[in-house]
Amino acid sequence: MRTVQTEVLVIGGGATGAGIIRDLAMRGFDAILVEKRDLTHGTTGRYHGLLHSGGRYAVKDPKAAVECIEENRILRRIMPHCLEDTGGFFVVTPWDDPDFGDTFMEGCRKAGIPVEEISVAQMLREEPLLNPNISRCFRVPDAAADSFLATRLNAESAREYGAHIWTYHEVRDLMMDGQRVIGAVCHDLVRDEEVRIYADMVVNAAGAWAGKIAAMAGLDVHITPGKGVMVAINHRVLNTVVNRCKMPSDGDIIVPIHTVAVIGTTDVKVSDPEHFAIEPWEIELMLDEGEKLVPGVKNMRILRAWAGVRPLYQETKAVDTRDITRAYTLLDHETRDGVSGIITMTGGKWTTYRQMAQVTVDRVCEKFGVQRECRTHLEPLPGAEKHGGYHWLGARFADVERRQAYGDLICECELATREDVERAIVQGDAKTIDDIRRMVRLGMGPCQGGFCTFRAVGLLHRLRHPDVEDANAALRDFLQERWKGLLPILWGQQLRQERLDELIYLSVLNVDHLPGPKATPLAPVMYDPPTGEEPQARV
C-alpha cells in the first residue's frame, strides 16, 4: 500500500476538477487529482458540446446566463483551439410562442448577451436545411466546444506547474480525524493496489457523484442526477448551433460538433448516476423534436445514442429537474456541517468550469490563510498560441494534406493518423482503447470503430507489449463501449453497418473466443435494459 502526502486533493477528473487542479498548481499549491476512470469519463465527456452564450437561461435562470456569457468571453481568449466559432440561432418554430422572442431579447440584454434579430431569409441563406416555416430568428455568440481536448489541456497545464493527475484511481473512502477530513483511500485500478492520500484539504469536484463522496464523511449533499439523452447524426446537417426560442425543454437544440451534429436532450431524474437506461421514447422524442427544426432529420443516418447525467444541486426538494438552477454552488462543510478539511463544488455548466475553479481555489486560499491571485483567465491553455485561432471544420483534413499522411490513417472516418494514435498511447499514457478515442476521436465516425479498432489494438500491442490475452480483453472492452451506444438506434444504414462490424469481429476475427478474460476491470459500464416506460411526470 502506497501512502502519499499533499496539500490539496481534488476528487473528480471532469472539466471542473481539471480546472481546479490547474488553478491550484498555478497558485503554487502541491496538489493531486484522482479520477476513477480517464479524464472526462463522467458528465464532461457525455454532453453535446455547447459553449453557452447564456441565451438558454436568459429568461428562466438569469444568474446562470450571466455566468455563461462572462466565461464565454474568457474561454474564447484562453482556449480558441478547443472551440469552433459556429455562432448560435434561437428560432421560433410553428410550435412556439412568437411573443417569447421579445421576452428572450430582453433577458439577453439584461444578462449582457449580444443578440440581434435577423430575417428568416438571412437565416435560410446561412442554414438552408432549417424549417422554412420558422417565423423569427435571433443570433447569439454560442459555439461548439471540444470538452475532451479542453480538459486534457487543463491537466497538461497543471502538470507543467507541478500537479499530479492520477486517473483510474477510485476513491473508496474518506479518512477522518474526529470532525476533520484528512485524506482519501483510493484504489489504483491499473495496479490493483490501495493508495492512501493524506491532504490538508480535500476538494470534492465529483460532479453527479459528489453526493456519494460527501456521504463517506457523513455529509448530506443532495445531488439530483438529471439524465440527458442525445443522438448524433452522421454529418453536419447544420453549421450553426440552433436552439428553439422558448423555455428550455427536451430536444430543443442541435449542436454541430466536429464531423457530426447532436440533437439534445432529455432531462429525467435518475437515482444512480452510473446505472440508468436509454428508453425508446427518449430516442423518438429527440427525433420528433429535431424534425421541427430540420425537416427530414428523422430519415437521416443516426450514428449512436448516449446519455450524460447533470449534477443538479438544490437544498430544497425539486420535482422537475429543469426547475433546478444551472448555476453552481460551493459548499463549505466546516461552516455548513461542522466538518473541516473538505469543500464541495457542484452544479454549473461546462461553460462555467473555469469560474467554478476560481471560486473554489479562492476558498482554499482563505482556508490556508494565504492570498494568491488567480491567473487562469489570463494564461492560455497549451497550444493556443501555436494553433493561432479557433478550430474549424476541415482542419484535420488540411493537416493530413499538409503532412501527406493519406496512407497512415488508422481511423478514416475521423482522420486519425498512426502518428496521432501512437502519440495518444505513448505521450497520452492511454490505458484503454477508449482513452485513445477521447484523445483523437478514434471510432466516433459512421463505422463506429468497425475498421479502426483492430488497428489501434495492434499499435497498442506493438508499443506497450501487453500479454496477448490482455490485448484481446482491451479489444473486447472497446467493442462493448461502442455497442452500448448503437443498441438504441439500430435501424437503416447504421443497422447495416453494425451487421458488417459484427461479421468482422465475431465471425472473421472470432473475438468472443480469443484467449483471455472476457473483460478487464477497466471495461465500460453498460446501460441498463430499457423498461419501455415513461416517467410519471411526463404521462
Side-chain angles (χ1 to χ4, degrees), residues 89-255:
F89 289 161
F90 278 74
V91 298
V92 178
T93 73
W95 295 268
D96 306 324
D97 177 9
D99 293 337
F100 187 83
D102 298 327
T103 307
F104 170 76
M105 288 194 75
E106 181 61 21
C108 286
R109 289 190 178 113
K110 286 182 178 177
I113 302 166
V115 58
E116 66 167 334
E117 184 166 7
I118 65 172
S119 68
V120 172
Q122 176 63 31
M123 176 198 79
L124 291 173
R125 277 194 290 274
E126 296 183 32
E127 295 293 353
L129 294 184
L130 278 175
N131 190 335
N133 295 316
I134 286 171
S135 59
R136 302 183 74 180
C137 178
F138 305 89
R139 190 194 302 275
V140 297
D142 282 342
D146 187 335
S147 60
F148 300 115
L149 177 60
T151 304
R152 186 158 53 83
L153 293 179
N154 270 282
E156 182 179 326
S157 175
R159 287 192 186 97
E160 290 174 354
Y161 278 96
H164 301 277
I165 313 290
W166 292 353
T167 56
Y168 294 99
H169 281 65
E170 184 177 22
V171 174
R172 296 284 174 87
D173 200 5
L174 293 179
M175 295 184 289
M176 306 284 294
D177 181 5
Q179 286 298 98
R180 180 175 183 80
V181 174
I182 58 171
V185 179
C186 301
H187 189 78
D188 183 337
L189 296 175
V190 176
R191 298 181 180 179
D192 191 24
E193 67 178 19
E194 192 174 88
V195 183
R196 287 180 177 266
I197 305 174
Y198 289 90
D200 300 324
M201 175 66 64
V202 172
V203 176
N204 177 13
W209 291 261
K212 291 188 174 183
I213 295 296
M216 295 176 184
L219 301 168
D220 182 19
V221 174
H222 184 70
I223 302 293
T224 301
K227 178 188 65 170
V229 168
M230 290 147 276
V231 296
I233 307 163
N234 81 320
H235 66 288
R236 295 268 291 240
V237 294
L238 298 169
N239 288 310
T240 307
V241 174
V242 176
N243 300 262
R244 296 270 291 279
C245 190
K246 61 175 187 172
M247 297 295 270
S249 185
D250 293 344
D252 62 354
I253 184 171
I254 301 179
V255 180

Side-chain angles (χ1 to χ4, degrees), residues 294-310:
V294 178
V297 76
K298 293 177 71 172
N299 298 320
M300 295 179 183
R301 181 173 175 177
I302 306 301
L303 285 184
R304 65 187 288 108
W306 73 96
V309 179
R310 304 174 183 89

Side-chain angles (χ1 to χ4, degrees), residues 274-452:
E274 198 74 69
H275 301 283
F276 48 80
I278 294 179
E279 300 289 349
W281 70 264
E282 293 179 290
I283 304 297
E284 292 174 11
L285 181 61
M286 290 301 98
L287 296 181
D288 286 344
E289 293 302 302
E291 187 80 9
K292 294 174 182 175
L293 289 170
V294 178
V297 76
K298 293 177 71 172
N299 298 320
M300 295 179 183
R301 181 173 175 177
I302 306 301
L303 285 184
R304 65 187 288 108
W306 73 96
V309 179
R310 304 174 183 89
L312 305 175
Y313 174 78
Q314 196 168 53
E315 286 286 8
T316 54
K317 186 177 179 181
V319 175
D320 184 347
T321 56
R322 286 205 185 274
D323 286 339
I324 300 177
T325 178
R326 264 48 173 172
Y328 56 82
T329 303
L330 177 67
L331 301 176
D332 185 335
H333 295 294
E334 185 170 11
T335 56
R336 177 181 182 263
D337 307 292
V339 176
S340 61
I342 183 171
I343 56 177
T344 294
M345 170 55 79
T346 188
K349 309 291 295 179
W350 181 87
T351 302
T352 60
Y353 89 87
R354 192 213 61 84
Q355 190 177 96
M356 295 163 69
Q358 179 177 344
V359 169
T360 303
V361 181
D362 283 348
R363 183 59 60 90
V364 171
C365 288
E366 183 182 319
K367 292 286 183 185
F368 285 177
V370 297
Q371 192 167 13
R372 302 174 186 177
E373 295 299 318
C374 176
R375 294 183 290 113
T376 56
H377 60 300
L378 301 174
E379 187 171 319
L381 290 181
E385 295 177 358
K386 179 181 177 182
H387 194 276
Y390 293 114
H391 173 77
W392 51 282
L393 182 62
R396 280 196 155 200
F397 183 62
D399 186 54
V400 169
E401 285 195 319
R402 181 183 60 78
R403 290 191 280 159
Q404 297 189 358
Y406 314 105
D408 285 331
L409 293 176
I410 300 300
C411 174
E412 287 92 346
C413 298
E414 295 291 336
L415 300 180
T417 65
R418 174 189 292 266
E419 181 182 341
D420 296 331
V421 175
E422 289 180 343
R423 188 185 307 118
I425 295 170
V426 177
Q427 298 178 21
D429 195 27
K431 303 289 192 305
T432 69
I433 308 300
D434 202 37
D435 293 352
I436 301 173
R437 174 186 70 85
R438 281 184 280 268
M439 294 183 205
V440 304
R441 298 186 60 80
L442 182 98
M444 296 177 75
C447 82
Q448 290 291 292
F451 297 98
C452 59

